[in-house]
Amino acid sequence: MYRKIYTMVSVVALSAVLGATSVKADEVELWSFLDPKAEGVRSEVFKHVIDTFEAANPDINVKVNVVQWQQISPSLMRGAQAGQVPDLAMLYSPFIGQHVAAGTLNPLNDRLAEMGEDAKDLVTFPVAKDRDGNIYAVPWELRVIGIVYRKDLLEDAGLDVPDSLPKMIEQAEEMANADTIGFGVGFNPAKPTAAMEWFIPTAIGMGASILNEDGTANFDSPEIRKLITFIDALVTKDKALPLNVALQGDEEVQQYAEAGRTVFMVKGTHRLQLIRDKSGINEGYSWMPFPGMEPATTSPAMLQGWNLAIPKAADNPDGAWKLLQHWTSPEIQAYSAKMAGYLPVRQSVGADASLTEGGNEHIRVALDYANENPLDFDWPENTDFLYATISGMIEQIVADQMSIDEAITWAETQYNQQVR
């Protein structure tokens, strides 16, 4: 089941973080976007990881510094320049490439080699490798981006799960009202991740290339124009996506789902359980792959994940490695999948049939989707800027600040100025 996946994927202010006192040999400092003291299933699972690690390693204390998730990568880059970094840091997969290129991380090949055959059970991302095959990060969770939807509302209306994007929007428009948002996605350039994790696979599935071979923007294509026009119509014509929602960021849009107010919403598998819990709708919310433009098709599956990396200047790399091994162990991976709905980073755990019991049927759906129709896209080192530029282009269009022609020209100019 993981064979294709394996080959495919083979804040606080920085001053506050850097101001932390130097760690002792028996302390592992971890930069995390999750807070083990917070409420919610993801924080609870994170706390379980730390508690079980410290119980198994009583001589090691894990010190968690919570950093806003978009700030971990730039904070780590600045910290590397200042020579003050944690022992272990979480890095989202699209942002690893810039650290590999900048040389801020320790290669893990020797440590992985010591694991022997067990290391082959772990999934790794190509973006975490350099040209010589050195591996700089290992994921602790995987997620496939797709659509979280109100299964109960579809059933009550006698509707089948939509098998195309136009059909999904037709249903979204039919069920939208003053209290219910048909399709939830936000194009705020400051927080555009979910929107771009839908837009890029959908555009590529339609035949777009996004970037030219030299790394410059290729936004002015028939496919991208068609998709942008489709999005604009969602706001201005179909009313499936209210303008105020389209101009918001990821977290704000998710809050509508947590209140039970979205029919369809762009979101990864990792957020389904949290939305179920917060909304109280439980299994009334489900998850499905991105539908394609044509009937009975899907857009390519976008597989992402949060990784663990050991910075070059880490004070306690050995302790950090122990924590990484614990986090990616079969026991922790199975626990995380069952409790939080995370996709496991171990192929053996993913093959366990019991994984999909108790409302976790979406895990098998997601694994099959990623296995059968994986996204083929070479992520640039400046993925965050690519996201912000494309979402800014769409924001200008739906807000009626620019025409499609003007917005495409603006976006290509903005992006290419940084690339060149």
Side-chain angles (χ1 to χ4, degrees):
M1 181 60 63
Y2 266 64
R3 186 170 300 169
K4 287 186 181 178
I5 297 177
Y6 183 70
T7 56
M8 179 185 74
V9 297
S10 213
V11 237
V12 294
L14 178 64
S15 58
V17 175
L18 298 185
T21 57
S22 59
V23 297
K24 300 176 182 179
D26 61 351
E27 183 175 84
V28 172
E29 181 182 0
L30 168 66
W31 283 7
S32 164
F33 71 95
L34 292 171
D35 185 348
K37 298 178 182 178
E39 296 182 355
V41 65
R42 301 178 77 196
S43 289
E44 292 168 3
V45 169
F46 180 37
K47 184 178 185 301
H48 175 80
V49 173
I50 301 301
D51 288 348
T52 53
F53 173 76
E54 291 182 337
N57 299 272
D59 58 328
I60 301 178
N61 174 61
V62 178
K63 177 183 178 180
V64 179
N65 275 325
V66 180
V67 184
Q68 208 276 336
W69 77 268
Q70 293 101 331
Q71 292 302 315
I72 294 181
S73 178
S75 294
L76 185 61
M77 193 70 74
R78 294 192 293 270
Q81 295 172 351
Q84 299 184 56
V85 295
D87 299 305
L88 193 65
M90 293 185 182
L91 284 174
Y92 193 43
S93 46
F95 306 139
I96 296 175
Q98 55 192 285
H99 288 274
V100 173
T104 64
L105 307 176
N106 270 318
L108 303 176
N109 294 57
D110 290 344
R111 296 182 185 275
L112 289 166
E114 292 175 359
M115 294 175 61
E117 290 296 312
D118 191 42
K120 296 181 181 179
D121 195 33
L122 293 170
V123 172
T124 56
F125 287 93
V127 72
K129 301 177 184 179
D130 64 16
R131 294 180 179 179
D132 297 324
N134 294 306
I135 299 172
Y136 293 89
V138 175
W140 58 265
E141 62 89 31
L142 300 173
R143 77 277 301 268
V144 178
I145 315 303
I147 301 293
V148 170
Y149 71 100
R150 287 288 300 272
K151 178 182 177 181
D152 58 339
L153 292 183
L154 293 187
E155 292 176 346
D156 290 346
L159 298 174
D160 294 328
V161 175
D163 68 347
S164 70
L165 182 56
K167 186 66 176 179
M168 186 183 82
I169 298 307
E170 178 184 318
Q171 293 180 354
E173 183 182 10
E174 180 179 335
M175 288 185 278
N177 55 48
D179 296 320
T180 303
I181 297 163
F183 181 46
V185 62
F187 296 95
N188 185 329
K191 297 179 179 180
T193 302
M196 293 302 96
E197 289 176 338
W198 167 69
F199 181 91
I200 289 175
T202 301
I204 290 174
M206 294 169 64
S209 60
I210 308 295
L211 301 175
N212 295 309
E213 290 185 3
D214 62 358
T216 56
N218 186 21
F219 304 155
D220 193 4
S221 68
E223 298 85 4
I224 289 181
R225 281 180 173 271
K226 180 179 179 179
L227 183 55
I228 291 173
T229 301
F230 184 86
I231 294 170
D232 190 33
L234 296 182
V235 177
T236 61
K237 179 182 177 182
D238 300 327
K239 306 300 182 182
L241 173 58
L243 177 60
N244 68 307
V245 177
L247 298 180
Q248 293 179 353
D250 293 346
E251 298 301 322
E252 293 85 356
V253 175
Q254 181 174 306
Q255 289 173 8
Y256 293 112
E258 293 172 2
R261 294 184 55 196
T262 57
V263 182
F264 301 98
M265 181 187 67
V266 176
K267 196 59 62 176
T269 49
H270 63 299
R271 291 296 182 102
L272 177 59
Q273 190 58 51
L274 181 145
I275 291 170
R276 284 173 167 175
D277 291 345
K278 288 201 171 185
S279 68
I281 296 173
N282 301 315
E283 292 182 34
Y285 266 117
S286 191
W287 183 94
M288 68 180 191
F290 286 141
M293 276 291 186
E294 300 301 321
T297 64
T298 60
S299 296
M302 187 167 185
L303 182 66
Q304 299 285 26
W306 277 95
N307 296 252
L308 296 170
I310 303 175
K312 269 191 176 178
D315 288 328
N316 191 2
D318 291 339
W321 176 250
K322 286 184 179 180
L323 178 54
L324 187 154
Q325 283 187 292
H326 176 76
W327 212 324
T328 58
S329 67
E331 296 77 15
I332 291 296
Q333 286 298 300
Y335 177 87
S336 300
K338 291 176 181 178
M339 296 300 294
Y342 292 145
L343 303 189
V345 304
R346 282 185 172 269
Q347 301 172 72
S348 58
V349 177
D352 185 353
S354 67
L355 202 65
T356 60
E357 297 175 353
N360 282 333
E361 295 81 5
H362 68 283
I363 292 180
R364 180 58 54 206
V365 173
L367 291 176
D368 289 347
Y369 172 39
N371 188 55
E372 295 165 4
N373 189 15
L375 176 67
D376 183 11
F377 182 60
D378 292 327
W379 294 99
E381 293 176 12
N382 63 342
T383 293
D384 51 349
F385 187 69
L386 176 66
Y387 279 10
T389 304
I390 295 177
S391 60
M393 172 179 67
I394 297 171
E395 179 188 53
Q396 297 287 353
I397 294 168
V398 299
D400 201 25
Q401 299 297 309
M402 292 184 184
S403 67
I404 290 178
D405 287 341
E406 292 170 336
I408 289 176
T409 299
W410 170 84
E412 287 196 332
T413 301
Q414 289 286 111
Y415 189 78
N416 291 341
Q417 282 177 345
Q418 189 186 78
V419 172
R420 291 168 176 162

